[in-house]
Amino acid sequence: MDMAKGLLRGLAGAAVVSATLLALAGCQDDDGKTGANGAKDGRNPVIAPGRPGERARTLSPEQAARERPDDTPNAADQTYVRGMIEHHRQALTMSALAPDRASAEAVKGLAERIAAAQKPEIGAMERWLARYPAPSGAAAGTGGTGGTGGHDHGAMPGMATEQQLKELADARGTDFDRLFLKLMTAHHEGALKMAGQALAGGNNVAVEEMATEVVATQTAEIHRMRALG
């Protein structure tokens, strides 16, 4: 599963609970009777599945709506998505140097895979921002929807400095391979820290999906890069 697919599943995540409840609407309890909020008023009850070992509950449509989890994006969600867009863009910049500079085919292949994964992930995150724009004034310094303008690279873990990017662009052959693996490993490790912050402090289901995908894919790539190094 890539992040774009994860985003689509995440955006639908908040609706899953409701869909599950509504799919069970009109069911009867274990005694074969409709619930207290059932057909008396012409509306079907909503059956809420219980936790393991617990019986299901019969809710009115209003109760079911109130109990649906609120996954409204918070500041941690916004910070993560805007920052990760910029983080991914630098990974694309670094990866674009590999075809003409790397000597090892494994390094070229790794760079190609990183670019192939992270470019659509940027698109998915930009669509998320379009759906959940930051409150007025909250996006100051983050460059708006794209998250590019005024962003402090030093505030994001793992970002290469301008000097490091210049050294990478100037390197060739095995020197490039070694520096690319070093910088990209640090870059991925920074992404894991950012994802961990989002998972700890965020509230939105889609962002949780995106951060979880980053943890899975970039952890695997870190192991691969260390093996190549």
Side-chain angles (χ1 to χ4, degrees):
M1 178 189 74
D2 58 25
M3 184 182 292
K5 293 179 180 177
L7 174 62
L8 293 176
R9 192 177 79 231
L11 291 175
V16 169
V17 174
S18 294
T20 301
L21 297 178
L22 292 174
L24 294 171
C27 292
Q28 295 179 323
D29 62 23
D30 292 342
D31 297 326
K33 300 176 182 179
T34 57
N37 298 307
K40 290 182 181 179
D41 55 6
R43 295 177 301 166
N44 288 327
V46 177
I47 308 301
R51 295 188 179 93
E54 296 181 357
R55 295 181 61 183
R57 294 180 300 141
T58 302
L59 307 176
S60 69
E62 292 78 11
Q63 287 174 316
R66 286 195 299 269
E67 294 193 15
R68 186 176 65 186
D70 178 11
D71 75 335
T72 302
N74 61 16
D77 295 316
Q78 289 282 343
T79 297
Y80 174 76
V81 174
R82 291 174 182 277
M84 192 56 75
I85 287 174
E86 188 74 4
H87 209 265
H88 273 23
R89 282 180 175 154
Q90 187 179 84
L92 295 185
T93 297
M94 295 165 65
S95 297
L97 299 173
D100 297 329
R101 293 168 174 81
S103 63
E105 289 301 320
V107 172
K108 293 181 181 180
L110 174 67
E112 184 178 359
R113 285 192 295 272
I114 290 172
Q118 295 196 19
K119 186 174 181 180
E121 288 172 4
I122 289 173
M125 289 185 286
E126 289 177 335
R127 289 191 293 275
W128 185 92
L129 286 177
R131 177 168 182 154
Y132 300 109
S136 179
T142 61
T145 301
T148 57
H151 213 106
D152 182 6
H153 288 184
M156 289 188 288
M159 291 286 280
T161 65
E162 291 300 322
Q163 179 60 33
Q164 288 173 324
L165 291 177
K166 182 179 184 304
E167 291 174 358
L168 185 64
D170 291 341
R172 296 291 188 281
T174 57
D175 289 339
F176 176 89
D177 295 346
R178 182 172 56 253
L179 186 55
F180 177 84
L181 293 173
K182 176 183 176 180
L183 294 180
M184 192 62 79
T185 297
H187 200 267
H188 276 31
E189 289 171 342
L192 295 186
K193 291 180 182 179
M194 294 169 66
Q197 292 168 352
L199 291 170
N203 187 62
N204 182 254
V205 172
V207 172
E208 179 181 352
E209 292 280 352
M210 290 188 281
T212 299
E213 181 70 13
V214 163
V215 170
T217 58
Q218 299 206 18
T219 295
E221 288 175 350
I222 287 172
H223 292 319
R224 188 175 296 116
M225 288 187 287
R226 287 176 176 165
L228 290 174

